[in-house]
Amino acid sequence: MIERILPESEQGIQYTLHEIVGKGGYATVYKSYDSEGTEVAVKVHTLPDDASNHVQNVTVAHVASEVALLQKTNHPHVVQYVDHSVNKERPYIVMEYVPETLGDIVRKGKVTQSVVIDFIRQIPTLLALLQEYEIAHCDLKCSNIGYVDRTLKLLDFGLAIPFSDAVFRIMKNVPPYCPPEFFPVPSRFSGYGNIGIVKRSSDTFSAGKALEFMLTGTYAPSIGETMTNIKETHEKATLPKEFQDFLKVMVARESIQRARKASPDKLRNLADKAVKALGKKVIFKKKQPTGEEIPSGFSSLMDMLGLSPLSP
């Protein structure tokens, strides 16, 4: 158990780190408490002891940018900003504490039909919010989507950028849940090396991959095989056509197709149809496998989950 008190925040509050609940390449998230004992989450950016002034300044600027985006998105479907500090040695952001994510649910083997339906029903709203706030999240995955009282919450805006800045960014080691446009291509601009383009429909693709991960605990081997994998495994699992239609438009390879066919209104319409069809076609058994045990491919997973079609 960690009991470390951070330097005072911008609001003059001291926070005590309690335990690690998440860790990334640049920051660690702690379950923490303020001076009055209120439970919060604190994202502390990690800096080496010998970090130069330049590195410190860049990190502080990054924290300030993330804070600005969080302050802009005051909504029940977005993690709430609480406080922050731009202390150069230990900059941090304080947010509401979200005890469970969809990633936790997959890892624990607790993906049920109601969880899947909640995701399908609510994800169009989350994507519409990002567009309304002119934000590209750029890191939409199950572990960055909270699940509290059957409500989805967007978490971790560390890689998020305003659409006004989202012309392109250098991408390295692109995760499998990212859209094709994120994968690096040689740049025509001197000094930029390889670039990946951020589109308004990029987060839609990642949301579709998150749904795939919820059902399989894995991703298709490559972008080029995603649609083939989904089509084959959905047919074997007898998933309804409405569900397939919903997922296919989200993970369309071309961003322009996603923009046209998975706009907020169209996606809501497809989601409504998918939810209605799933209620008639698929049953999840109470006992679920753990996330680590879920094999690659829908067909094996469906056998393990005991999914079966209901009679018409």
Side-chain angles (χ1 to χ4, degrees):
M1 183 180 297
I2 300 167
E3 291 293 342
R4 186 185 308 152
I5 299 177
L6 292 172
E8 280 192 356
S9 69
E10 294 298 296
Q11 298 179 21
I13 300 173
Q14 284 192 318
Y15 296 91
T16 302
L17 305 181
H18 184 66
E19 63 179 297
I20 295 175
V21 294
K23 194 168 186 178
Y26 303 100
T28 301
V29 180
Y30 298 85
K31 179 180 179 180
S32 309
Y33 298 91
D34 65 15
S35 53
E36 295 183 354
T38 302
E39 193 174 60
V40 292
V42 178
K43 180 179 181 181
V44 181
H45 285 253
T46 306
L47 287 172
D49 294 335
D50 59 350
S52 65
N53 284 333
H54 173 70
V55 170
Q56 290 179 342
N57 290 335
V58 168
T59 303
V60 167
H62 182 82
V63 169
S65 175
E66 184 174 353
V67 166
L69 292 177
L70 285 171
Q71 290 175 324
K72 184 179 181 181
T73 54
N74 183 20
H75 194 277
H77 280 302
V78 181
V79 65
Q80 295 300 293
Y81 162 81
V82 175
D83 198 356
H84 75 283
S85 169
V86 289
N87 179 290
K88 285 189 175 183
E89 295 181 358
R90 194 176 290 274
Y92 61 85
I93 303 173
V94 185
M95 298 159 284
E96 70 169 304
Y97 177 66
V98 177
E100 189 169 50
T101 69
L102 292 178
D104 295 328
I105 293 173
V106 174
R107 187 173 63 254
K108 295 173 184 176
K110 293 184 177 180
V111 178
T112 63
Q113 181 173 341
S114 64
V115 175
V116 172
I117 287 177
D118 286 341
F119 180 91
I120 294 173
R121 183 179 285 128
Q122 296 177 44
I123 199 64
T125 300
L126 271 67
L127 294 170
L129 277 173
L130 289 170
Q131 296 211 17
E132 178 185 340
Y133 290 125
E134 295 284 308
I135 294 173
H137 188 280
C138 298
D139 197 26
L140 202 57
K141 56 185 177 181
C142 285
S143 59
N144 283 341
I145 303 175
Y147 189 66
V148 182
D149 297 329
R150 299 193 65 176
T151 299
L152 302 186
K153 279 183 176 287
L154 284 172
L155 310 176
D156 197 348
F157 282 66
L159 294 181
I161 49 178
F163 281 131
S164 57
D165 298 335
V167 179
F168 55 78
R169 63 161 49 193
I170 299 171
M171 302 295 291
K172 296 180 180 179
N173 301 321
V174 181
Y177 52 83
C178 290
E181 59 266 24
F182 275 26
F183 285 77
V185 295
S187 172
R188 294 177 298 169
F189 304 98
S190 176
Y192 280 104
N194 292 337
I195 64 169
I197 302 171
V198 179
K199 299 284 190 178
R200 285 179 176 267
S201 62
S202 294
D203 287 329
T204 301
F205 182 95
S206 297
K209 297 296 284 184
L211 179 54
E212 177 189 356
F213 185 75
M214 287 173 64
L215 292 172
T216 66
T218 186
Y219 300 101
S222 70
I223 292 293
E225 298 176 19
T226 298
M227 292 309 299
T228 301
N229 179 45
I230 291 171
K231 181 178 179 180
E232 290 179 352
T233 53
H234 280 184
E235 289 174 351
K236 292 176 183 177
T238 64
L239 287 175
K241 179 180 180 299
E242 293 85 350
F243 175 84
Q244 295 184 51
D245 291 343
F246 173 76
L247 189 49
K248 283 179 180 179
V249 299
M250 295 181 76
V251 296
R253 184 178 184 87
E254 299 298 330
S255 61
I256 191 169
Q257 291 185 21
R258 278 177 257 133
R260 289 174 178 172
K261 298 181 179 181
S263 63
D265 288 340
K266 290 181 179 179
L267 198 59
R268 284 193 190 95
N269 184 44
L270 289 170
D272 289 342
K273 292 179 180 179
V275 167
K276 185 176 181 180
L278 281 174
K280 297 178 180 179
K281 290 282 187 180
V282 180
I283 296 175
F284 280 74
K285 287 186 176 180
K286 290 183 179 180
K287 186 176 181 180
Q288 306 293 336
T290 62
E292 287 80 6
E293 293 175 350
I294 296 177
S296 176
F298 273 83
S299 57
S300 298
L301 171 83
M302 296 305 170
D303 292 338
M304 294 175 68
L305 292 182
L307 300 185
S308 60
L310 290 173
S311 300

